[in-house]
Amino acid sequence: MTSLDQFVTAVIASPSQYTELDRIYVHNRVLGLVGEGDPIAASDDQLTSLTDALVKTAIQNGKIEATQSDEDILADQLMDLVTPLPSVLNQRFWDKYQVSPQTATDYFFNLSKANDYIKTRAIAKNVVFPAKTPFGDLEITINLSKPEKDPKAIAAARNQPQDGYPLCQLCMQNEGYLGRLGYPARSNHRIIRLTLGGNTWGFQYSPYAYFNEHSIFLDQEHRPMVINRQTFTNLLEIVQQFPHYFVGSNADLPIVGGSMLSHEHYQGGRHEFPMMKAPIARTIDLGIAGVKAGIVKWPMSTIRLTSQDLVALTDAAVKIHETWKNYSDESVDVRAYTDGTRHHTTTPIARKVGDDYVLDIVLRDNQTSAEFPDGIFHPHQDVQHIKKENIGLIEVMGRAILPARLKTELAEVGKYLLDQPNQMVAMHQAWADQLKATNTITADNVTTVIDTAVGNVFARVLADAGVFKWDDAGETAFDRFVAAMYD
């Protein structure tokens, strides 16, 4: 049996809309995509391996060029054949939801892996390790999953018409979109429709997941990110619908926000982040009945709200957010506005613990200064050799997303520490010298020393991003902010 025949059999056996009666039709659909030359043999009978073989067959037959863009587009077209239509998938999802929310998400998650929308093979390349810090065990990841951009595609994309469709990579118009040079293939992409606050939203998984069941909840309308009462209401409504998931929103300002501020969306999933394990350092009273509140022992300034009353919980979140938007304290470089530009917002994260709903509200400030041009509350220059990028939702909660360059760079640091020939980049020099001076380095412990040091740098990164520091001045300033909510 050829790889083409095996693939057609897999399509018929999949939970798509095809049956045995459709075999000839499916066979001819695949032929049209890959060409009629002899199919290249697959390495095994896994669906992804069969798809890889058919993509190579298409290159052999001259149907596509041997570029990452062409290969991705074709692979997703093939995987689209094993994926139910959006209407069918949504019906099945909500039928399974009647059994339980987890039954529904398990179905959708497993399908999204099986049809290679979630790039499990690429995600497996990521480097992941824990790091003990004064704030508990943080999670360090070096992101190796996203493919490097093809230089040919970059060059060709400059000559492609910019028609603005889809408007962005989060828009619902991506569902089933073929893809193009410089824009990802989405033929096998599916979105579950749901209602939040009376409006239609979508629920999908992230193709390059940073944690288990990494989900994205997106507004049907293409409109900018915003944090307001409706945000808190939406987050709690999602947790009501999917109580086994957490969900949070990136901040709605540059520097402290995520990378896609143009489209309203949240992220969630099934993972207990380090921040969720962090204890309450001291309780506070917000004056809202039925809501427990406390300052979390966490490097980023966080107030945790707990209640079974969703309205009271939302009221408390709004009180914090609205007070913070206009709050300044020059003694700790906290300024709500400079020259009419707003600097304050929050990063909210919702989850359910037993019968209680929990909202963590993280205070964010995106000011810059001559001393800190990238951000006063942003990774400072002395740690940017490890992490320079924005501190978004996932990192706020204690999971570092570090750049791919570090895999090779840290290996060179290891050689330097062992006095071996190396090509360590200059920006790591001071850090590496400090590690040499404070540790006895051996071949057996060099990796542990570096991993521990990276974890401590990430803890510092989070502390840099925290608006109220864990010192006497910072804690006193935090208490002044809490008091301001009574004014």
Side-chain angles (χ1 to χ4, degrees):
M1 184 181 288
T2 68
S3 56
L4 189 152
D5 294 326
Q6 288 176 288
F7 182 82
V8 171
T9 297
V11 171
I12 301 302
S14 73
S16 64
Q17 60 270 26
Y18 299 113
T19 69
E20 185 61 39
L21 188 62
D22 302 306
R23 179 176 291 274
I24 295 172
Y25 169 81
V26 173
H27 182 95
N28 287 330
R29 283 282 305 276
V30 177
L31 274 184
L33 292 171
V34 306
E36 299 184 25
D38 291 338
I40 290 175
S43 58
D44 56 54
D45 60 358
Q46 296 297 308
L47 190 56
T48 50
S49 299
L50 295 171
T51 302
D52 290 345
L54 292 175
V55 169
K56 291 176 183 176
T57 300
I59 295 170
Q60 172 184 274
N61 292 338
K63 295 291 287 187
I64 64 170
E65 296 290 328
T67 65
Q68 190 67 55
S69 180
D70 277 9
E71 292 173 23
D72 288 347
I73 287 172
L74 176 58
D76 283 7
Q77 283 180 288
L78 291 168
M79 284 296 188
D80 183 41
L81 295 172
V82 303
T83 309
L85 291 168
S87 58
V88 174
L89 177 60
N90 272 263
Q91 182 65 55
R92 291 175 183 172
F93 179 90
W94 291 111
D95 284 348
K96 292 179 184 296
Y97 186 89
Q98 302 309 309
V99 177
S100 74
Q102 186 174 330
T103 300
T105 57
D106 283 352
Y107 162 71
F108 187 32
F109 180 61
N110 289 331
L111 184 144
S112 298
K113 289 189 296 182
N115 79 346
D116 203 38
Y117 181 74
I118 298 176
K119 306 299 183 184
T120 54
R121 291 180 295 177
I123 294 166
K125 299 175 184 176
N126 291 342
V127 176
V128 182
F129 58 89
K132 291 187 180 300
T133 76
F135 291 96
D137 287 353
L138 301 182
E139 300 168 354
I140 309 299
T141 70
I142 298 176
N143 180 28
L144 303 171
S145 58
K146 287 190 177 181
E148 295 292 332
K149 291 192 175 181
D150 188 324
K152 291 181 181 179
I154 294 172
R158 288 183 302 192
N159 301 318
Q160 295 292 306
Q162 300 298 311
D163 59 6
Y165 182 89
L167 286 176
C168 78
Q169 292 185 27
L170 288 176
C171 285
M172 286 195 177
Q173 286 75 21
N174 287 280
E175 187 176 45
Y177 185 67
L178 181 66
R180 60 180 187 266
L181 288 170
Y183 196 96
R186 289 290 182 262
S187 293
N188 58 339
H189 176 36
R190 299 293 185 268
I191 302 173
I192 300 299
R193 270 59 169 187
L194 51 90
T195 301
L196 294 178
N199 295 314
T200 299
W201 279 62
F203 159 44
Q204 67 183 59
Y205 289 105
S206 173
Y208 295 100
Y210 291 138
F211 53 87
N212 185 40
E213 298 186 41
H214 185 174
S215 311
I216 300 172
F217 297 87
L218 54 106
D219 195 331
Q220 178 177 246
E221 300 298 324
H222 179 82
R223 49 190 163 204
M225 295 280 291
V226 63
I227 305 293
N228 55 23
R229 173 178 285 274
Q230 190 61 55
T231 306
F232 305 129
T233 300
N234 286 349
L235 295 178
L236 291 170
E237 194 170 338
I238 291 170
V239 173
Q240 278 184 294
Q241 293 188 55
F242 305 104
H244 56 302
Y245 277 7
F246 84 90
V247 64
S249 175
N250 266 309
D252 56 350
L253 293 177
I255 299 179
V256 296
S259 59
M260 299 192 72
L261 297 177
S262 64
H263 194 123
E264 181 79 15
H265 71 285
Y266 315 131
Q267 296 180 74
R270 292 183 71 187
H271 185 71
E272 186 178 24
F273 284 87
M275 188 179 78
M276 297 173 179
K277 304 173 189 176
I280 297 294
R282 58 188 184 275
T283 60
I284 60 176
D285 182 2
L286 296 180
I288 297 178
V291 177
K292 294 187 291 184
I295 294 171
V296 182
K297 184 65 175 178
W298 190 245
M300 297 196 66
S301 305
T302 306
I303 297 175
R304 178 166 295 157
L305 306 172
T306 305
S307 182
Q308 295 182 20
D309 184 336
L310 297 183
V311 174
L313 197 58
T314 302
D315 288 344
V318 170
K319 187 172 189 178
I320 295 168
H321 180 75
E322 292 300 321
T323 303
W324 177 244
K325 276 173 61 176
N326 299 292
Y327 182 80
S328 295
D329 186 340
E330 293 279 346
S331 71
V332 286
D333 282 332
V334 166
R335 300 170 190 87
Y337 292 87
T338 58
D339 298 325
T341 299
R342 178 167 69 93
H343 296 300
H344 286 180
T345 187
T346 58
T347 298
I349 303 111
R351 57 197 163 102
K352 196 172 185 191
V353 180
D355 293 330
D356 291 328
Y357 290 89
V358 179
L359 258 179
D360 284 339
I361 309 295
V362 187
L363 308 180
R364 310 301 303 273
D365 180 320
N366 79 344
Q367 291 179 85
T368 60
S369 67
E371 184 181 3
F372 301 112
D374 298 314
I376 297 173
F377 303 102
H378 181 83
H380 291 173
Q381 286 91 326
D382 63 319
V383 293
Q384 288 183 3
H385 64 105
I386 298 294
K387 175 69 177 178
K388 184 177 182 178
E389 298 78 14
N390 291 358
I391 304 305
L393 173 69
I394 296 167
E395 290 169 316
V396 163
M397 295 185 288
R399 190 173 183 90
I401 311 297
L402 301 181
R405 62 177 172 81
L406 286 176
K407 183 177 182 182
T408 53
E409 289 179 12
L410 294 179
E412 295 302 314
V413 170
K415 293 176 186 177
Y416 175 80
L417 295 178
L418 293 170
D419 296 318
Q420 297 173 352
N422 65 84
Q423 295 180 315
M424 185 177 72
V425 296
M427 66 178 174
H428 293 306
Q429 185 74 54
W431 180 62
D433 286 341
Q434 183 183 35
L435 293 182
K436 261 192 173 184
T438 54
N439 294 276
T440 301
I441 310 292
T442 68
D444 291 333
N445 74 359
V446 65
T447 298
T448 300
V449 168
I450 292 173
D451 287 354
T452 300
V454 169
N456 287 330
V457 168
F458 181 54
R460 240 297 305 284
V461 162
L462 294 183
D464 285 350
V467 294
F468 298 122
K469 310 306 182 187
W470 283 98
D471 54 26
D472 289 343
E475 293 191 55
T476 301
F478 208 154
D479 288 340
R480 284 198 296 271
F481 168 67
V482 171
M485 284 188 273
Y486 288 95
D487 294 344

